[in-house]
């Protein structure tokens, strides 16, 4: 009987939602809107030195995000010599591959990058719940049917976690934050070998 109870406990823990597994405390909140302002300024060119490690390949270069109009961003990754590696457009809910290098031209990888970059530029994700966790306010949101948790401290987003099957799938970390610029951004996948490091190039 004791072993049965232990097994049931493990099953319950394994089936717990991401907030329950991490001991989030539900907060009653009304009139709150989640705002991600990191790539929201149309007058700003967001330029980063980038390193992308995907499976066993390494790519270094320049990563540029440009907000062209409301709900319209363009994301370009080039070599330091200016040769394009990929060039994506996000307009409302549509996504267009303007160009992509053969090494990246795989449907699964394109879909992963689409999800990652959509989370980076999404300014007002759909808010589902609000929690507190240690010193953070955590917003449970939904972007294209995927749960994302925005960790907010002192009104600043410093981490976003995308989950699947109640587990962390992708962790976005923002650091060295100045106003609405995150000078360092890391995107790390937990279930595959893909990591993106971005370091702002100051002008």
């Amino acid at each position: 009987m004791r072993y049965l109870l232990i097994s049931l406990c493990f099953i319950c823990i394994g089936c717990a939602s991401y907030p329950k597994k991490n001991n989030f405390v539900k907060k009653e909140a009304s009139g709150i809107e989640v705002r991600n302002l990191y790539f929201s300024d149309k007058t700003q060119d967001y330029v980063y030195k980038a390193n992308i490690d995907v499976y066993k390949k390494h790519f270094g270069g320049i990563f540029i995000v440009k907000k062209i109009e409301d709900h319209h961003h363009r994301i370009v990754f080039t070599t330091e010599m200016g040769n394009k590696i990929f060039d994506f457009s996000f307009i409302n809910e549509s996504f267009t591959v303007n160009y992509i290098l053969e090494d990246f031209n795989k449907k699964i990888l394109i879909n992963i990058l689409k999800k990652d970059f959509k989370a980076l530029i999404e300014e007002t994700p759909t808010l589902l719940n609000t929690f507190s966790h240690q010193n953070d306010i955590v917003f449970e949101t939904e972007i294209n049917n995927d749960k994302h948790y925005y960790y907010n401290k002192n009104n600043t987003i410093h981490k976003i976690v995308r989950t699947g099957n109640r587990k962390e799938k992708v962790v976005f970390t923002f650091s060295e934050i100045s106003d609405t610029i995150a000078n360092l951004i890391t995107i790390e996948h937990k279930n595959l070998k893909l990591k993106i490091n971005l370091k702002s190039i100051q002008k």
Side-chain angles (χ1 to χ4, degrees), residues 78-111:
T78 72
T79 66
E80 293 193 3
M81 299 298 292
N83 298 315
K84 281 187 184 180
I85 297 174
F86 57 68
D87 177 351
F88 301 145
S89 292
F90 292 83
I91 304 176
N92 294 313
E93 298 307 314
S94 70
F95 169 75
T96 302
V97 178
N98 302 309
Y99 176 83
I100 192 160
L101 192 70
E102 187 61 32
D103 287 333
F104 281 84
N105 194 12
K106 298 173 178 57
K107 187 174 181 179
I108 292 176
L109 181 56
I110 291 171
N111 190 52

Side-chain angles (χ1 to χ4, degrees), residues 6 9 13 25 37 53 66 69-70 87 113 121 128 130 136 140 178 182 197 200:
I6 292 171
C9 286
I13 291 170
V25 178
L37 301 178
D53 293 295
K66 178 66 178 177
E69 295 292 343
D70 290 343
D87 177 351
L113 293 175
I121 63 174
L128 302 177
T130 304
D136 289 329
E140 181 184 53
S178 176
N197 289 306
S200 180

Side-chain angles (χ1 to χ4, degrees), residues 46-166:
Y46 299 93
V47 184
Y48 290 81
K49 188 174 178 64
N51 289 291
I52 299 180
D53 293 295
V54 52
Y55 301 111
K56 295 183 179 181
K57 293 186 178 181
H58 174 82
F59 299 86
I62 305 300
F63 185 89
I64 305 163
V65 182
K66 178 66 178 177
K67 181 177 180 179
I68 298 169
E69 295 292 343
D70 290 343
H71 310 294
H72 182 185
H73 286 77
R74 191 161 180 179
I75 295 177
V76 179
F77 180 41
T78 72
T79 66
E80 293 193 3
M81 299 298 292
N83 298 315
K84 281 187 184 180
I85 297 174
F86 57 68
D87 177 351
F88 301 145
S89 292
F90 292 83
I91 304 176
N92 294 313
E93 298 307 314
S94 70
F95 169 75
T96 302
V97 178
N98 302 309
Y99 176 83
I100 192 160
L101 192 70
E102 187 61 32
D103 287 333
F104 281 84
N105 194 12
K106 298 173 178 57
K107 187 174 181 179
I108 292 176
L109 181 56
I110 291 171
N111 190 52
I112 290 167
L113 293 175
K114 172 186 172 182
K115 287 185 176 186
D116 288 353
F117 299 151
K118 177 66 174 175
L120 273 186
I121 63 174
E122 181 62 50
E123 294 178 33
T124 55
T126 302
L127 179 62
L128 302 177
N129 290 297
T130 304
F131 303 92
S132 62
H133 177 253
Q134 298 176 0
N135 296 320
D136 289 329
I137 300 298
V138 183
F139 300 112
E140 181 184 53
T141 72
E142 189 172 75
I143 303 173
N144 292 342
N145 299 317
D146 289 315
K147 291 281 185 70
H148 290 73
Y149 293 85
Y150 285 67
Y151 288 70
N152 189 298
K153 186 179 294 181
N154 299 323
N155 294 318
T156 300
I157 296 167
H158 65 91
K159 183 167 73 170
I160 301 172
V161 175
R162 180 161 75 239
T163 63
N165 296 322
R166 298 171 293 276

Side-chain angles (χ1 to χ4, degrees), residues 35-48 65 67 73 120-121 123 154-158 174-185 200 202:
R35 295 296 307 277
N36 174 11
L37 301 178
Y38 287 133
F39 298 99
S40 63
D41 187 350
K42 286 184 281 191
T43 67
Q44 175 81 37
D45 289 336
Y46 299 93
V47 184
Y48 290 81
V65 182
K67 181 177 180 179
H73 286 77
L120 273 186
I121 63 174
E123 294 178 33
N154 299 323
N155 294 318
T156 300
I157 296 167
H158 65 91
F174 305 88
S175 57
E176 295 191 13
I177 297 164
S178 176
D179 194 14
T180 58
I181 303 291
N183 289 292
L184 294 178
I185 301 174
S200 180
Q202 299 295 328

